């Protein structure tokens, strides 16, 4: 295939990727909103609601490394499409069950588990294929489009779900999700997942067929262990996700229970995060690749850590509801923006720096480590907010986050990632 044809195909991939992600994510958000509201209205129990969330986390944590292993052994396109088809099948069975009998909590839990398993295979295989779908110069745009689709669906999903809930049956929620998933599957089936795949002839590649599953999985962990920069990124992600959970758990609690903010204003405030993601994603999509991604990541995570501390500020004063609303809305916009500034460059860096034959396994490990602390953090901070003042939880969490960033992303790691970087300056963060 000549370069001009490849360029056209990559452009097609880029915008097909954006459309499919928006449709798929929007359908998922509408479905998640409907299921969440149904569980709460059926049981009135936050424990039942939390159980459903936990059942969506645990399979991803357990399955991710194996999904990555299969992504390195089998055609990734078929894993993406197979995972998507599995999700469609499981929700279709739930729809048939609902028509035949009646939607029940046990049925929802079962489908949540299967959805989590199937979507893990699909998402890990797709993530490890992005560098094969577009050329290196467009990787940042592709990663930005991924963040953009999440922000659009994050804003639109709850709005559409809120409009539908109470006016239509749960069958409509399920059908909406199925239609969106089918459209996503159809679009993804038209992509060439080997467009920019590099031919490799390394010993690891040639021996993959002869390795047992366990040996191949172990090779993935050994690869990560031997790559100091990637190892530092993974450990940073692990600990950051644990302490950033203090915001996920405490934000609504603080605004509703402590500051007595109007629930409608809380909804708008939370949407600020999606707005920040949207604005920053558009900015990154219009730029060429960041030259020193790990420097950008260090600075953006430091700023996000200070934002965690800043959430405690209104709790020391007696501000009006209007001031609290404006303050927290601005903070959430900044949270969303810095999240994109962190995730986009690091995503590009991983796509470029990981060898083709290990990419699936590494991204499986990345997903496992990124999510493994979320259940622990949810339980930990759920207990802490009941027994300790919220402001001190946020301040301590923010300070620990700052310490984690300075420890795991120290200058020696940055120098290793970017050997051409002058150790004195570390200045040119957003240069091409």
């Amino acid at each position: 295939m000549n370069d001009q044809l490849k360029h056209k195909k990559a452009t097609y991939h880029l915008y097909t990727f954006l459309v499919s992600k928006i449709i798929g994510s929007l359908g998922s958000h509408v479905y998640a909103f409907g299921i969440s509201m149904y569980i709460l209205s059926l049981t009135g129990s936050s424990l039942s609601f939390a159980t459903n969330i936990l059942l969506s986390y645990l399979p991803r944590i357990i399955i991710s490394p194996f999904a990555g292993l299969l992504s390195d052994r089998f055609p990734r396109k078929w894993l993406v499409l197979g995972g998507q088809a599995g999700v469609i099948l499981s929700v279709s069975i739930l729809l048939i069950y609902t028509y035949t009998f009646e939607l029940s909590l046990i049925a929802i839990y079962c489908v949540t588990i299967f959805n989590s398993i199937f979507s893990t295979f699909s998402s890990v295989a797709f993530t490890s294929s992005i560098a094969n779908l577009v050329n290196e110069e467009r990787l940042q745009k592709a990663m930005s489009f991924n963040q953009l689709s999440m922000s659009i669906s994050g804003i639109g999903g709850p709005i559409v779900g809120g409009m539908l809930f109470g006016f239509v049956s749960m069958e409509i929620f399920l059908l909406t999700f199925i239609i969106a998933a089918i459209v996503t599957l159809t679009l993804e089936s038209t992509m060439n997942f080997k467009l920019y795949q590099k031919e490799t002839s390394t010993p690891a590649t040639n021996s993959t067929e002869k390795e047992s599953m366990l040996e191949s999985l172990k090779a993935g962990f050994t690869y990560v262990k031997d790559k100091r920069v990637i190892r530092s990124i993974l450990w940073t992600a692990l600990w950051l996700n644990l302490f950033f959970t203090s915001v996920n758990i405490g934000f609504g609690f603080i605004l509703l229970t402590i500051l007595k903010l109007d629930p409608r204003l809380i909804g708008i405030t939370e949407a600020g995060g999606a707005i920040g993601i949207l604005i920053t994603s558009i900015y990154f999509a219009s730029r060429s690749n960041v030259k020193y991604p790990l420097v950008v990541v260090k600075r953006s995570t430091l700023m996000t850590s200070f934002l965690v501390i800043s959430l405690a500020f209104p709790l020391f004063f007696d501000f009006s509801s209007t001031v609290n609303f404006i303050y927290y809305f601005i903070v959430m916009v900044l949270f969303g923006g810095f999240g994109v500034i962190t995730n986009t460059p690091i995503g590009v860096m991983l796509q470029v720096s990981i060898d083709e034959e290990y990419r699936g396994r590494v991204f499986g490990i990345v997903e496992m480590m990124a999510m493994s602390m979320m259940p622990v953090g949810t339980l930990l901070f759920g207990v802490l907010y009941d027994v300790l003042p919220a402001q001190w939880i946020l301040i301590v969490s923010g300070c620990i986050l700052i310490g984690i960033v300075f420890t795991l992303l120290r200058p020696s790691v940055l120098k290793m990632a970017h050997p051409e970087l002058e150790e004195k300056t570390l200045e040119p963060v957003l240069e091409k």
Side-chain angles (χ1 to χ4, degrees), residues 10 13-14 17 21 76 80 122-147 191-197 343-344 347-348 350-352 356 359-360 363:
H13 284 165
L14 202 58
F17 169 75
K21 282 289 183 182
R76 289 170 185 158
V80 171
S122 182
S123 64
V124 170
F126 197 98
T127 302
S128 56
S129 300
I130 293 176
N132 302 140
L133 292 168
V134 298
N135 54 332
E136 189 173 321
E137 291 73 24
R138 296 185 178 191
L139 275 174
Q140 182 166 292
K141 183 172 282 191
M143 303 305 290
S144 299
F145 278 2
N146 186 44
Q147 298 284 332
M191 295 180 178
N192 179 1
F193 279 66
K194 295 183 178 180
L195 184 64
Y196 286 95
Q197 183 169 321
N343 294 332
T344 302
V348 174
L350 291 175
Q351 291 284 346
V352 172
E356 172 73 33
R359 198 176 291 145
F363 276 109

Side-chain angles (χ1 to χ4, degrees), residues 59-60 63 79-80 82-90 111-124:
R60 295 186 78 91
I63 297 294
L79 286 173
V80 171
Q84 192 72 16
V87 170
I88 294 169
L89 178 62
S90 61
V111 170
T112 296
I113 293 170
F114 282 108
N115 272 3
S116 182
I117 293 170
F118 287 127
S119 62
T120 300
F121 282 101
S122 182
S123 64
V124 170

Side-chain angles (χ1 to χ4, degrees), residues 263-314:
R264 290 171 295 181
L265 295 180
I266 295 175
I268 297 172
T269 304
E270 291 182 350
I275 293 169
I277 292 172
L278 180 64
I279 294 169
T280 317
S281 297
I282 294 171
Y283 168 75
F284 267 101
S286 64
R287 291 184 54 85
S288 55
N289 291 355
V290 169
K291 188 174 181 180
Y292 302 111
L294 209 57
V295 180
V296 176
V297 168
K298 180 174 182 177
R299 294 185 176 182
S300 62
T301 48
L302 278 174
M303 292 304 298
T304 310
S305 302
F306 283 114
L307 285 177
V308 173
I309 296 173
S310 74
L311 290 172
F313 182 69

Side-chain angles (χ1 to χ4, degrees), residues 150-170:
M150 289 171 59
S151 68
I152 292 172
S153 59
I155 296 169
I159 293 173
V160 175
M163 290 170 60
L164 292 176
F165 192 78
F167 295 96
V168 300
S169 63
M170 275 306 301

Side-chain angles (χ1 to χ4, degrees), residues 352-418:
V352 172
S353 61
I354 299 169
D355 295 332
E356 172 73 33
E357 61 267 28
Y358 288 101
R359 198 176 291 145
R361 278 167 285 183
V362 173
F363 276 109
I365 295 168
V366 168
E367 180 140 347
M368 178 192 71
M369 293 191 72
M371 297 194 68
S372 59
M373 281 299 184
M374 294 178 79
V376 176
T378 301
L379 180 62
L380 172 65
F381 288 104
V383 172
L384 288 179
Y385 275 109
D386 282 339
V387 297
L388 296 173
Q391 57 267 39
W392 293 112
I393 295 173
L394 292 169
I395 290 171
V396 172
S397 296
C399 291
I400 292 173
L401 285 166
I402 293 169
I404 289 168
V405 174
F406 277 120
T407 302
L408 296 178
L409 298 181
R410 54 194 175 274
S412 61
V413 176
L414 300 184
K415 187 71 174 173
M416 187 173 294
H418 311 299

